[in-house]
Structure formats: structure tokens, C-alpha cells
Amino acid sequence: MVNRYLNVIPLDDALALLSREFTCIPSAENIPLETASGRITARPIFGSYSVPEIHLAAMDGIAVRSVETKGASEQSPVTLLMAARVNTGNVIPPGYDAVIMIEDVWETDGNYTIRRSASPWQHVRPAGEDLAESEMVMPSLHCIRPHETGALATYGITRPEVITVRIGLIPTGSELVEAGVRPAPGQVVESNTIMAGAMLESAGARCTRYSFVEDSPDKIRTALKKGCGENDIVIISAGSSAGTKDYTAAVIAELGEVLVHGIATKPGKPTIIGRVDGKPVFGLPGYPLSALTVIRELVLPFLRNYGLPVPEPETIPAHITSAYPKEIGSDEFVLCTLGKIGNRWIISSQSRGSGVQMSAVRANSYLRVPRASEGFNAGDLVDACLMVPEKEAENALLLTGSHDPLLDHLADLSRPSGISIISTHVGSMGGILSLKKDECHAAPTHLLSPDGSYNTAYLHKYLPGIETGLIFVAGRQQGIVSRENLSLEELPGHLFVNRQKGSGTRMLLDFELKKAGIDPTVIPGYEREVTTHIAVALAVKSGEAEAGMCVYSAAKALGLPFVPVVEEHYELAFRGDHTDDPRLKSLFGVIRSEPFAKVLTRLGGYDPTRTGSLRWVD
Amino acid sequence: MVNRYLNVIPLDDALALLSREFTCIPSAENIPLETASGRITARPIFGSYSVPEIHLAAMDGIAVRSVETKGASEQSPVTLLMAARVNTGNVIPPGYDAVIMIEDVWETDGNYTIRRSASPWQHVRPAGEDLAESEMVMPSLHCIRPHETGALATYGITRPEVITVRIGLIPTGSELVEAGVRPAPGQVVESNTIMAGAMLESAGARCTRYSFVEDSPDKIRTALKKGCGENDIVIISAGSSAGTKDYTAAVIAELGEVLVHGIATKPGKPTIIGRVDGKPVFGLPGYPLSALTVIRELVLPFLRNYGLPVPEPETIPAHITSAYPKEIGSDEFVLCTLGKIGNRWIISSQSRGSGVQMSAVRANSYLRVPRASEGFNAGDLVDACLMVPEKEAENALLLTGSHDPLLDHLADLSRPSGISIISTHVGSMGGILSLKKDECHAAPTHLLSPDGSYNTAYLHKYLPGIETGLIFVAGRQQGIVSRENLSLEELPGHLFVNRQKGSGTRMLLDFELKKAGIDPTVIPGYEREVTTHIAVALAVKSGEAEAGMCVYSAAKALGLPFVPVVEEHYELAFRGDHTDDPRLKSLFGVIRSEPFAKVLTRLGGYDPTRTGSLRWVD
């Protein structure tokens, strides 16, 4: 096996090399005050005039010379020779040095009488009280906070000068189509530079996204020259591997030099760092999660060298639910879901391919596993890096177990109460085992016992002595999805797509086939496993399989024929000691709500008769 | 004394009333994906097609039928009958179900030979691997994170529908001028709606700032009607008190109803809550810090009712340096400076008027003092609400003591190392006492002893037995600032502005007057105290006083004549046990730097000969 990369180095070394090789001077730009929040001053800002410039009344009343008021009291009121009516904010006339509140003044025929003396400068806003001419308002490299825009307006600063880093983003690839165009087979929506742009701009960079460039060295060369002329940094998206159409490294080498080709991270290995016209040029891997990782772990930290404030992620110690073994040598970055069960934080990795952008949508956290580490054992305490505010992570409700399309709708209907439902599809048995380990808030489950009862026997068996509850979500129809209206009895000889072992649907199918006297080995593809009802229906729709078993709503969503096999009970199991968990209570409220009843009707194949009823198992 | 407000209620009651009286339904708008980061989805987003829509190669290699590869090994290679060359991302032709990496393939005359069998679906990205048609991408009320814009692009979502709250901001007041215009005496730059707009937009609201409205009930009425027609919420800035030109409440009452006039907060009392056309209308107080408080404590929390995510401030327990006594009855909000001395967080209130916007620029934290509280004693542990990230607060360097204009420049030059200098001007003696209590990192000081030495005698006396260090900042000229070149001897009979007792400059002046045989009581205004050199010079420039004592650079900055009296030593005192504090070390580096030497020359009146030299006192 050939080493496809010229020069693979650890991430830390790549960051050190960037600091060593490049003098990072930010660009500066003057921007409208209304857009200045979160931006970083390029220079110190000094007051060019005092605020206020002249003494002002701080109260409604009369301006007086305090010496004239001496000795005034209830017993010996003083009628003033010199006094001027002022409202708050009015200029104090020259020679006057105090204001008496209007409530303390008696006026007769234009004369003012007072019964208390005034101290010099009382109720006066002296010139420069807020800011004196020549004083500094804020230093350079200060992050302008929203409320400070008001102060800057007052001090006459309407277009503050702030720093930025101009970053050119060049998408390459002949297969690309613009977002909004449905890609034909083999085409791909260009999304990596959109993502990179949003991530880099949130740190204060100013990104320019260039037109798509075909896989042609000449065209990439032209684009790179232009990008280097117009920016402080250039990022070329895709073409950074060492395949036949990967021209990025060659073009950078031609116009300048390649400093690094390959960084020892997973994902993100096919990354290039080069220099053209003295400017850093990055080659970004094409897989979205690789690109995400390289932007987050390499480019964003590098922007700190320019003075942009890139916060470190907040971390929380959490127990990892499954072992995460790894080989020494690469830093690995794992997208995860995190939630709080009782007082323990629980984290689970989402071990999926780097083309699965949904992993980054579902994730609320990630793990950094250092290159010297051999990974984690199940239960280890690890540092979860947060991708959402901690409060949002606390409001995560972990549902682990059987999949059903209505879980998406439960998640949506729970949002108004602030709950973020995170569903993990490990099948009913997986859910029961997660509940046993107290690693989820509730487990969706539909496990049939030989006596015809659902779920209770399994809770008795796997959580003996632990009080648990079951809330009924819906009765639901399971059946055969196909393109040709196949029934259970017609499955032999047809290419099948199955659910994973331990899922209630797989157990149900095994049970029903046995009842019907059908040997699974005569069903081709029986060993091909996917983890959701929708994935089964989609495999059938795409032609990957001829039939599978799923719930009615999944077949309906994809417009496929469905032959019912059985109606079963889909319930949520939870531990009795979490009954008062406000997240669970909120979910129960949603299950019992009118909007959820409407969802059941709309999706189809659900029986709402017992929806929301609760029973206890002990 | 008249109660100027109709109906003063506690803040909590005002928030409860808002929740009770108004059904808060956000507006929705479709926005470009590039601007969607941080916005909140108005509706759940479902996949309208699968990604990928068809099976794709996940590697460069050949697509095969896995059954054909059975039995292949080093000993018995298999030459395939059906195989197709594919690159990563290519469509897998129908009938093929696996990909073999090109490194594992031997090609001869267009025929492919393999030495290992392929398992079904290996190196294939199945249709729907990322997202299956009909699956939910994200629920409603989901905060779109920057990296998710990439996923949305991939799924064909180019203009996501997000919620917002349309807020109309109406500035009122005949004295207003637009930012960028230098206000004539009695005029004010309108800044409150700029500040409110930035604060509210940072929470996801969409603000419209209307033209200035004069203090006229008719014009305010017209503006309010228009604002209510075009927005979900209207905020009228200023005119919310009960003075002669405060028409806001009357106009709201005429068009709808006033629900609250006056909330029991300091600052922020003159606040109105009303209803017009069923919509909430706020009357915002005119003083900037009052307006800031009402936006932060009343309007922003209310926006949560519309589904906008308004984070609670993070809090840190900190020791308060001075007593903060208060009467029961109002919630008070106090802008503060916060820093970490050793392992203790130390917080100080900035007790200044609500017109001083610089207080909110200088503050990195604030205190909420509940209405039932009688305040705090010095040293109490209080909850500091952070206005900056915690890390930035940790990098605050507290300098407490004598003022000098060059402190601004030290603050600016320290920014590249991430240090935020917070100077508090309490005079040299105040600084020594703060150092004694270990409540600052360093104390700028210039205290002359009768033996002609500076600072050491005071450190011996007030910090006995504690090792301290002194770093020399600069020699500096003190003298008399005036408009007419007055000397110390000419002060009697001229209106004076003084520095506060305990400041080194005041002690120096007292000493020099005594030496010159001048009785301070023959100098009018000797009791008028300000706290900075610039404030002294400004009082002279504005005509408030005829003369004062300050450093040369302050007189120069304001272009005033200066007659030298003495050159003195301006040093920073610090405790020996903080010598290794990285913030202090960084400051010492700045003091010894070339850019600081240039600042000393530019400002004028400083002798850099001993700048940066260090001595120990024990």
C-alpha cells in the first residue's frame, strides 16, 4: 500500500508550523456602527470631545449660585436674586454652580424661594463627567459588545475600524451543483464552502466564496492566483487527496510551496497547507465532516494569530456509554450526543462516515481523542466538548431504543418547552439495556412476549427489582413494504433488507416467519441490516431490495405499497426514579397533547386509543 | 414630594404581567442560508429527497458483485467477469453491491484480478446514508449553528424559515442629533435606540429604527400608530418620566392603555408598559444606563416568550471590595469591574450616574441586588454576572491607585497579549490600601516622603512584613494647569479645582503649598474634588475653574498652559507573592517595550531614564 500523502504531520505540529511560517497581520475595515457588535477594534479609540461638553442640569429645577443659598432653612427661607429655570439636560448658565430640584422650590411672581441650602455642583452633570476629551474609550483588540454601540454613537464614532481576515473560498470539482439545485446522480451540492464561510465569519473573518472551478489544473491555478491577490488566506475546497483528479497540491507547489500534505487527524487527513505570494493556502478535504474538522481544529485556531477571538469549546466531564478503541498516531474527533441522566452526564459517540452531515446536525458535543491515546473504555469519564450552550445540553432528552418515524414529530412538538430530544436507534433490546445501565431517559420499545403482552416481561427480566414505567405512545401497524405488494408469505426468493438483530421489528419478523413456517435462509439479503424503518423503505424504493418489514407510516412516507402483518404496542419505558424528571414530564405532556394526536392521524397506521396511558412494572 | 409615577411595580411583577397580558407569537421570515447562523427555525425541516439519492462509491476502485468475489485469496486470485472502474462519489451501476479499493486490484488488459473477497455493501455509500427522504433534519425552534448551513445546503434548503420579533424603535426628543454630528450645547446624540437595536438584534429580533420625533404629542401619536402597524413590539425611547415634556404615557393611554408606569428598579424606574392594537409598547427611560438596564432586565427576558434564545448571564462568586448599602424596595443593578487576584475573584462597583455610558464600557460584570436585600458588606461573597467571557475576565489586570493618562496607553499596548487592564482611580493612598487588602494586581503610586524618597516608606508602613515590589513607570512633571500660565505662587484668589484627598497629587500640592507658605483656605474651590488629571485639566478648559494641579501630559492633551512644580516618580507597587502572575509579567514586558517608550515621548512631560527598573521593599 502506497503512502498517498507527501508529508503527514501531527495537528499540533501543523499549528506550530503555521505560527512559525506566517506573520499574521489582520486587515482593517471601517464598518457601520449598527454592524459592529462582536467585532474587534483595530486601533484604540479616544474621545475627540468631552461628553457632556458643558455643565448640564441633572434634574428639573433651578440653576443657582450655591453661595447665594447659604443659610436657607425652614425657619429662614431664602429668596434668590439669581436663578434660572432648567430642565434635565439643559445647559447650566455661566456663573451658576448648582441645581435645586423643582420640588424644593416655591415660585411667586417669578421669584424663587428655597428652604434648604445647595452644595456646590449638586445635581450638575459636569463637563466630561462621562468622557473627557483625549481619554481612551476602548483599546485596540477590544471586542465591541452590543451595548457599547450606544456609547460609541455618543462619542461620535459612527464607523469604527475593526480587524478582519479576508478569506477566499474556492470550491473545486466538476461534479458540483449550487445549493437549491437537486443533484442528478453523481452530482453533489457544494456545501463545504458555505459551511466554512459561516464558521469563519462567526469568528469575524470576511469570506468571499468564488465560483465553482472544474477539475482542471489551469482553471484551479487561475482561481488561486486571483484568490491570493484579493485575500489574506485562501482555502481550496476538495482535490486535496492524492487521487487522479486531485490537482490542489500540484497547483500550490507550482505557484508557491506545499508545506504540509496530510495531517494526522481522523477525519481530516487529506489536508494541505501551502504558501503562495507569502499567504497561507489551505487545501480542504472533500468529505463534509472532514472539512468541518479541519476548519474547527486547524483554520479557526490559526485565526487567533490574527487577533480574532476564537473561543475554546466549553467542556463537561461525562461518562462514555461504549468503548471507543483507537490506534495511536492520529488525533481523532468524534461527534457525540450528550445528556444528563439524574446527576450524571452521559455521552455517546456517533460512529458514522464522514459524508454523513446529519451526524453534525444531531451532535451536541464532540470528543477530542489525542494521538497518544488508545481510546476509551465504556464508562470512562471523558471531556465532552460542547457544541451547544450547556443549558441546552442539560435540556437534552435521550431516547434510546426502537425507531419510529413519529419520534421526529415528538422531537418537534417538544421544542416549545425547550426540550431537545435526541433519538438513538439501537432497537428495542438495545434500549432496554441502555435503560438498565441508566444511560437514557427513556427507551422506546415494542417487545412481544409469547403470552401476547408487550415489554413488561423484558423489563422484569433485564431490570429486576427496579421500578419502571411504560407510557403508551401508540398502537402501530407493522407489515411488508415492497414495490409489488408482497405479503409475508411471498418473501422467499425476493431480495430482502432487514432490521438489525435486537430490534423489536427483527424479533417480530423472526417470530412471524417461524409461525408461518418460513425458513429465513430462503430469503436472500436477510443478513443485510439497517437501523430505521425509513432506511428499510428507502432500500426498497431505491431498488437495493425488493422487500422489507417496517411500520405503515414509513411505507406511506415514501409512497410504497404495504401489506400489514400485525398491530403492536409502541411504548416508552423509563425508570421509576426519573418519574419527576422535568424533561420526561414535559414529553409525557406532549404525548397526551392534541397536536400529537393529529400527527398520529396524519402519518397513518397508528391507533391512538391508549396513547398517553401509563402503567408501572415492578 | 409628589409620586411622579402612576403605578410603580416590582420587576418580577412587570415580567409576570407581560406574560399574562400578551400572547407572544413570533413573526417568521425566509432568509438566505449564508445569514442563518444563530437564527431559530420557525418550522421543522424535513428531507425532500434522500442524500445520496443513489448508491455511491465511497472509495476509488472497482464496483463488483460481491457474490463473484467469493473465495478470492492470495493462493487463489479471482479474475472478475463483471467489474466497473469507479472513483469516490461515482454512481454504483445497477446490479453491483460492493467496491474494492484500487490498491487491492491488479489490472491486466482491462481485466481485474483480486486476492481478497468483498463483503456486500463494502465501501458503498448507500442511498439515504446521510438523510432519507421524509426524515426530519431539524425541529422547529432549533438554533441553527454555523456548521449546519452546510448540511442545509446539501438537503436543498437555501432559504430557511426562521422566527423573529419585529421591534420598532422610536427615538423622541427635540434635543436629539444623529450620531456623527457633534452636539451643540444642550443637544444630545441619539444613542439609546442604537444600543437597544444592537442588544435586541443580537437575540434575533429585527429592529427598525424610525426617524427622530419631536416632543409633540401629535407627532409621537403618529409615529406610534405607524410603529404598531409595522411591528410586533414598539419601544418609544425617552419621554417616559412624568415631567412637563414627557408625553409617552399620555399618547399610549390615548391609543390603547398604560399597564405599568414605573418599575421598582435602580436604574430604570421611569419605564412604561402599555398596549396599543394588542401589541406591547415600552416607554424607555432617557438616561443611557437606565435604558440599558430596562432592555437587559425587562425587554430581552420578555423576548424569550416569543421563542428567542436569550441566555442568562453566567455568574461567578466574587468578593466585593466595598460595602454596597441599599434600601429595601427596588431591584438594583450595579455595573462592576471583576478580576482574579491569585485564586480569589474580586469585584468592585462603579458607583456613577446613569448618564455615564463609559461605566458600561469599562464594566466587565454587574451585580443584581434584589429588592428585599439591604445590600452588601465589604468582603461579602456576591454573584457577579459576567458581561464578557469568563476567560476575558480572568485576563483582567486590576490597577488601582493613582491616575495618569499613560494608563490608557498601557491598556492598549497590553491587548496583543490578551490582557485587559482595568484602572480604578482612587489615588495613591487608595491604591496602597487596596494592595494591603490584596484586592488589586498592582497599585500606581507616587507618594513622596519627607526624606525625598518615593513610595517605599508607605509600603513599609501599610504593608509591614509583606514583601512588595516597585516597577518604575516614568518620572513625570507635575505642575499648575490654567488658561493664564499661573504658577503655584499665584494660586491665591483664583478659582481652583482639586484632586481628591489621598491622591498623591493632592498630597504633593498640600506639601508644596506648605513649603511655599500658602494657606489653602485663600484658594477658592480648594474643596472641589475630581479624580483624574484629565478631569482637572478639563475643568480648567471648560471654565469651571481657573487652575488646578495635574501632570504635563494632561495639560498638553487639552492644549492648556502648564507651569511645572516638581518632577516625581510614578511607580507600580505589587505584592511579592504575585511576581509570577502572568498578567503582571506581561505588563512589565509592555512597560519595558519600545512602543511604550514612544508613547512616553509622544505624550510629553515624562522622563524614561529609569522606566522598567524594579526594586524590592521588605
Side-chain angles (χ1 to χ4, degrees):
Chain A
M1 175 123 175
V2 197
N3 180 356
R4 291 157 67 111
Y5 301 97
L6 298 172
N7 176 12
V8 177
I9 68 169
L11 178 60
D12 284 347
D13 292 358
L15 286 164
L17 174 142
L18 283 167
S19 294
R20 199 171 59 236
E21 293 286 335
F22 296 100
T23 308
C24 298
I25 298 166
S27 294
E29 56 181 356
N30 288 89
I31 57 166
L33 189 54
E34 291 71 19
T35 64
S37 297
R39 300 299 298 270
I40 309 298
T41 51
R43 247 161 263 291
I45 295 174
F46 291 93
S48 57
Y49 52 81
S50 298
V51 177
E53 285 205 88
I54 194 164
H55 303 323
L56 301 179
M59 289 282 179
D60 297 348
I62 56 171
V64 300
R65 293 154 49 107
S66 56
V67 287
E68 261 202 68
T69 70
K70 276 190 183 156
S73 69
E74 288 293 338
Q75 287 69 40
S76 56
V78 169
T79 298
L80 298 164
L81 298 173
M82 292 182 65
R85 183 74 174 82
V86 286
N87 278 325
T88 304
N90 286 166
V91 175
I92 305 281
Y96 293 75
D97 70 349
V99 169
I100 298 175
M101 284 164 67
I102 196 68
E103 291 90 331
D104 297 332
V105 173
W106 284 257
E107 189 186 351
T108 326
D109 305 330
N111 291 319
Y112 298 107
T113 302
I114 56 168
R115 291 186 160 78
R116 203 188 307 163
S117 67
S119 32
W121 306 105
Q122 77 172 26
H123 304 320
V124 171
R125 289 193 67 198
E129 184 201 39
D130 186 351
L131 180 74
E133 179 187 339
S134 87
E135 279 185 327
M136 190 172 69
V137 178
M138 46 184 66
S140 55
L141 300 181
H142 171 86
C143 181
I144 299 172
R145 294 168 290 175
H147 72 265
E148 292 175 322
T149 58
L152 290 173
T154 295
Y155 308 144
I157 315 297
T158 55
R159 291 180 63 81
E161 189 176 359
V162 296
I163 63 169
T164 189
V165 179
R166 295 168 303 156
I167 302 181
L169 299 166
I170 303 176
T172 71
S174 302
E175 75 285 12
L176 300 178
V177 295
E178 198 59 80
V181 175
R182 183 163 172 170
Q187 290 186 327
V188 171
V189 173
E190 204 295 305
S191 67
N192 284 355
T193 63
I194 292 176
M195 174 185 71
M199 292 174 74
L200 296 167
E201 294 210 327
S202 75
R206 179 166 299 275
C207 295
T208 304
R209 188 173 171 245
Y210 291 95
S211 305
F212 298 163
V213 180
E214 283 168 45
D215 291 319
S216 137
D218 283 349
K219 291 185 174 162
I220 296 173
R221 188 184 308 113
T222 306
L224 179 54
K225 273 188 191 167
K226 183 174 155 73
C228 286
E230 297 175 350
N231 296 281
D232 304 308
I233 296 174
V234 173
I235 297 177
I236 303 179
S237 177
S240 63
S241 289
T244 51
K245 290 188 178 171
D246 292 325
Y247 304 118
T248 303
V251 171
I252 294 172
E254 199 184 313
L255 294 182
E257 59 179 319
V258 171
L259 303 169
V260 175
H261 194 181
I263 55 172
T265 64
K266 280 186 187 172
K269 186 180 176 189
T271 295
I272 300 168
I273 302 173
R275 172 166 38 212
V276 173
D277 295 347
K279 291 173 180 173
V281 175
F282 293 90
L284 204 62
Y287 271 124
L289 299 190
S290 306
L292 167 64
T293 304
V294 173
I295 293 291
R296 191 186 61 208
E297 302 297 332
L298 186 71
V299 186
L300 280 173
F302 177 53
L303 291 188
R304 291 195 190 113
N305 294 15
Y306 292 82
L308 293 183
V310 177
E312 282 285 342
E314 287 181 71
T315 61
I316 286 179
H319 295 277
I320 190 165
T321 56
S322 305
Y324 184 86
K326 103 178 229 307
E327 287 173 14
I328 288 173
S330 290
D331 291 295
E332 296 195 12
F333 300 92
V334 195
L335 292 165
C336 294
T337 54
L338 175 74
K340 202 169 187 180
I341 315 283
N343 288 318
R344 286 167 76 230
W345 286 97
I346 297 290
I347 192 166
S348 302
S349 66
Q350 303 191 68
S351 49
R352 302 187 69 186
S354 52
V356 180
Q357 285 175 281
M358 275 305 292
S359 300
V361 176
R362 289 195 195 100
N364 61 3
S365 54
Y366 64 96
L367 290 177
R368 296 173 156 170
V369 199
R371 65 179 195 280
S373 162
E374 295 189 64
F376 306 121
N377 295 316
D380 277 1
L381 204 57
V382 297
D383 279 327
C385 300
L386 287 178
M387 295 167 70
V388 295
E390 180 173 338
K391 184 140 191 184
E392 189 175 329
E394 279 197 27
N395 281 330
L397 179 74
L398 304 183
L399 296 186
T400 303
S402 165
H403 171 256
D404 190 283
L406 56 74
L407 292 177
D408 280 350
H409 297 271
L410 280 179
D412 179 52
L413 294 172
S414 294
R415 289 298 302 145
S417 49
I419 304 299
S420 301
I421 289 187
I422 298 179
S423 295
T424 307
H425 312 133
V426 296
S428 294
M429 272 310 301
I432 298 283
L433 295 175
S434 174
L435 202 64
K436 179 183 172 69
K437 292 192 280 176
D438 204 11
E439 293 181 344
C440 65
H441 293 100
T445 176
H446 57 113
L447 291 167
L448 178 63
S449 295
D451 66 358
S453 74
Y454 277 90
N455 301 320
T456 46
Y458 290 83
L459 289 171
H460 271 130
K461 179 171 174 190
Y462 289 95
L463 285 85
I466 295 173
E467 190 197 41
T468 53
L470 282 162
I471 185 159
F472 201 90
V473 184
R476 65 176 194 180
Q477 282 189 351
Q478 289 265 22
I480 303 302
V481 60
S482 66
R483 291 187 305 280
E484 290 163 358
N485 242 350
L486 299 174
S487 67
L488 184 81
E489 292 72 21
E490 295 169 299
L491 290 182
H494 289 283
L495 188 61
F496 198 73
V497 58
N498 215 337
R499 288 290 306 282
Q500 80 275 28
K501 291 179 197 76
S503 72
T505 301
R506 172 66 168 269
M507 292 162 82
L508 180 69
L509 177 63
D510 290 344
F511 176 80
E512 293 290 334
L513 287 176
K514 196 169 175 185
K515 215 167 69 178
I518 301 171
D519 177 0
T521 61
V522 302
I523 305 176
Y526 203 78
E527 68 292 346
R528 164 85 175 135
E529 295 180 353
V530 297
T531 61
T532 71
H533 294 271
I534 296 284
V536 166
L538 184 65
V540 170
K541 187 173 182 183
S542 71
E544 176 185 332
E546 291 173 275
M549 186 177 225
C550 70
V551 295
Y552 172 75
S553 61
K556 184 185 171 206
L558 270 62
L560 290 167
F562 177 88
V563 177
V565 172
V566 72
E567 185 181 306
E568 57 171 10
H569 298 177
Y570 188 69
E571 294 180 291
L572 283 179
F574 58 95
R575 296 168 74 109
D577 53 354
H578 296 328
T579 312
D580 290 332
D581 186 302
R583 292 158 290 205
L584 268 184
K585 282 187 157 177
S586 167
L587 176 64
F588 296 168
V590 170
I591 290 172
R592 289 168 180 148
S593 71
E594 187 56 34
F596 184 61
K598 285 186 181 157
V599 163
L600 292 179
T601 307
R602 197 171 76 237
L603 295 182
Y606 296 104
D607 175 1
T609 313
R610 291 173 55 194
T611 294
S613 65
L614 187 63
R615 58 199 178 116
W616 295 100
V617 183
D618 46 29
Chain B
M1 175 122 174
V2 196
N3 180 356
R4 290 156 67 109
Y5 301 97
L6 298 171
N7 177 13
V8 177
I9 68 170
L11 178 60
D12 284 348
D13 293 358
L15 286 164
L17 174 141
L18 282 167
S19 295
R20 198 170 60 235
E21 294 285 336
F22 296 100
T23 309
C24 297
I25 298 166
S27 294
E29 55 181 356
N30 289 90
I31 56 166
L33 189 52
E34 290 71 20
T35 64
S37 296
R39 302 298 299 270
I40 309 298
T41 52
R43 251 161 261 291
I45 296 174
F46 291 93
S48 58
Y49 52 80
S50 298
V51 177
E53 284 204 89
I54 195 164
H55 303 325
L56 302 178
M59 288 283 177
D60 297 348
I62 55 170
V64 300
R65 293 154 47 108
S66 58
V67 286
E68 261 201 67
T69 71
K70 276 190 182 156
S73 69
E74 288 293 336
Q75 287 70 39
S76 56
V78 170
T79 298
L80 298 165
L81 298 173
M82 293 183 66
R85 182 74 175 82
V86 287
N87 278 325
T88 303
N90 286 165
V91 175
I92 304 281
Y96 293 75
D97 70 349
V99 169
I100 298 175
M101 284 163 68
I102 195 69
E103 291 90 332
D104 297 332
V105 173
W106 284 257
E107 187 185 352
T108 327
D109 304 330
N111 290 318
Y112 298 107
T113 301
I114 56 168
R115 290 183 160 81
R116 202 189 306 163
S117 67
S119 31
W121 306 106
Q122 79 172 26
H123 304 321
V124 171
R125 289 193 67 198
E129 184 202 38
D130 185 351
L131 180 73
E133 178 187 340
S134 87
E135 279 185 328
M136 189 172 70
V137 177
M138 46 184 65
S140 55
L141 300 181
H142 172 86
C143 181
I144 299 172
R145 294 168 290 176
H147 72 266
E148 292 176 321
T149 56
L152 290 172
T154 295
Y155 309 145
I157 315 298
T158 55
R159 290 182 63 81
E161 190 175 357
V162 297
I163 64 169
T164 189
V165 180
R166 295 168 303 157
I167 302 181
L169 300 166
I170 302 176
T172 71
S174 303
E175 77 284 14
L176 299 179
V177 296
E178 198 59 79
V181 176
R182 183 164 171 167
Q187 291 186 326
V188 171
V189 173
E190 203 295 306
S191 67
N192 284 355
T193 62
I194 292 176
M195 174 184 71
M199 293 175 72
L200 297 167
E201 294 210 329
S202 74
R206 179 166 297 276
C207 295
T208 304
R209 187 171 171 245
Y210 290 95
S211 306
F212 298 163
V213 180
E214 283 168 47
D215 291 319
S216 137
D218 283 349
K219 291 183 174 164
I220 296 172
R221 190 184 307 112
T222 306
L224 179 54
K225 274 187 189 167
K226 182 174 156 74
C228 287
E230 296 174 352
N231 296 281
D232 304 309
I233 295 174
V234 173
I235 297 177
I236 302 179
S237 177
S240 63
S241 289
T244 50
K245 289 188 178 171
D246 293 323
Y247 304 119
T248 303
V251 171
I252 295 172
E254 199 184 314
L255 294 182
E257 59 180 317
V258 171
L259 302 169
V260 174
H261 193 180
I263 55 172
T265 64
K266 280 185 187 171
K269 185 179 176 189
T271 295
I272 301 168
I273 302 173
R275 171 164 40 210
V276 172
D277 295 347
K279 290 172 180 173
V281 176
F282 293 90
L284 203 63
Y287 271 123
L289 299 189
S290 307
L292 167 64
T293 304
V294 172
I295 293 290
R296 190 185 64 207
E297 302 296 332
L298 186 70
V299 185
L300 279 173
F302 177 54
L303 291 188
R304 292 196 189 112
N305 295 15
Y306 291 82
L308 292 182
V310 177
E312 282 284 342
E314 287 181 71
T315 62
I316 286 179
H319 295 278
I320 190 165
T321 55
S322 305
Y324 184 87
K326 101 179 231 306
E327 287 175 15
I328 288 173
S330 289
D331 291 296
E332 296 194 13
F333 300 93
V334 195
L335 291 165
C336 293
T337 53
L338 174 75
K340 202 170 186 180
I341 315 284
N343 289 317
R344 286 166 75 228
W345 285 97
I346 297 290
I347 191 165
S348 301
S349 66
Q350 302 192 67
S351 49
R352 301 187 69 185
S354 52
V356 180
Q357 286 174 282
M358 274 306 291
S359 299
V361 176
R362 290 194 193 100
N364 61 2
S365 55
Y366 64 96
L367 291 176
R368 296 173 156 168
V369 198
R371 66 178 195 280
S373 161
E374 294 187 67
F376 305 121
N377 295 315
D380 278 0
L381 203 58
V382 298
D383 280 326
C385 300
L386 287 178
M387 294 167 70
V388 295
E390 181 173 338
K391 183 141 191 184
E392 189 175 328
E394 278 197 27
N395 282 329
L397 179 75
L398 305 183
L399 296 187
T400 303
S402 165
H403 171 255
D404 190 284
L406 56 75
L407 293 177
D408 280 350
H409 298 270
L410 280 180
D412 179 52
L413 294 172
S414 294
R415 289 297 302 145
S417 49
I419 304 300
S420 301
I421 289 187
I422 299 180
S423 294
T424 307
H425 311 132
V426 296
S428 295
M429 273 310 302
I432 299 282
L433 296 175
S434 174
L435 202 64
K436 180 183 171 69
K437 292 191 280 177
D438 204 10
E439 292 180 342
C440 64
H441 292 100
T445 176
H446 57 114
L447 290 168
L448 178 63
S449 294
D451 65 359
S453 73
Y454 278 90
N455 301 319
T456 45
Y458 290 84
L459 289 172
H460 271 129
K461 178 170 176 191
Y462 289 96
L463 285 84
I466 296 173
E467 191 198 39
T468 53
L470 282 161
I471 185 160
F472 200 91
V473 183
R476 64 176 195 180
Q477 282 190 352
Q478 289 265 22
I480 303 301
V481 61
S482 67
R483 291 187 303 283
E484 290 163 0
N485 244 346
L486 298 174
S487 67
L488 184 81
E489 292 71 21
E490 294 170 298
L491 290 181
H494 290 284
L495 188 59
F496 198 74
V497 59
N498 214 338
R499 288 291 305 283
Q500 79 273 30
K501 290 179 195 74
S503 72
T505 302
R506 172 67 168 268
M507 291 161 81
L508 180 69
L509 177 64
D510 290 343
F511 176 81
E512 293 291 334
L513 287 176
K514 196 170 175 185
K515 214 166 70 176
I518 301 171
D519 178 358
T521 61
V522 301
I523 304 176
Y526 204 78
E527 68 292 346
R528 165 84 173 137
E529 295 179 355
V530 297
T531 61
T532 72
H533 293 271
I534 296 284
V536 166
L538 185 65
V540 170
K541 187 173 183 182
S542 71
E544 177 185 331
E546 291 173 274
M549 184 177 229
C550 69
V551 295
Y552 173 75
S553 61
K556 184 185 172 205
L558 271 60
L560 290 168
F562 177 86
V563 176
V565 172
V566 72
E567 184 180 309
E568 57 172 9
H569 299 177
Y570 189 69
E571 294 181 290
L572 283 179
F574 59 95
R575 296 168 74 108
D577 52 354
H578 296 327
T579 311
D580 290 332
D581 186 302
R583 292 157 290 206
L584 268 183
K585 282 185 156 178
S586 168
L587 176 64
F588 295 168
V590 169
I591 289 173
R592 290 168 180 149
S593 72
E594 187 58 33
F596 184 61
K598 286 186 181 156
V599 163
L600 292 179
T601 308
R602 197 172 75 239
L603 294 181
Y606 296 103
D607 175 1
T609 313
R610 292 173 55 196
T611 294
S613 65
L614 187 63
R615 56 198 180 120
W616 296 101
V617 183
D618 45 30

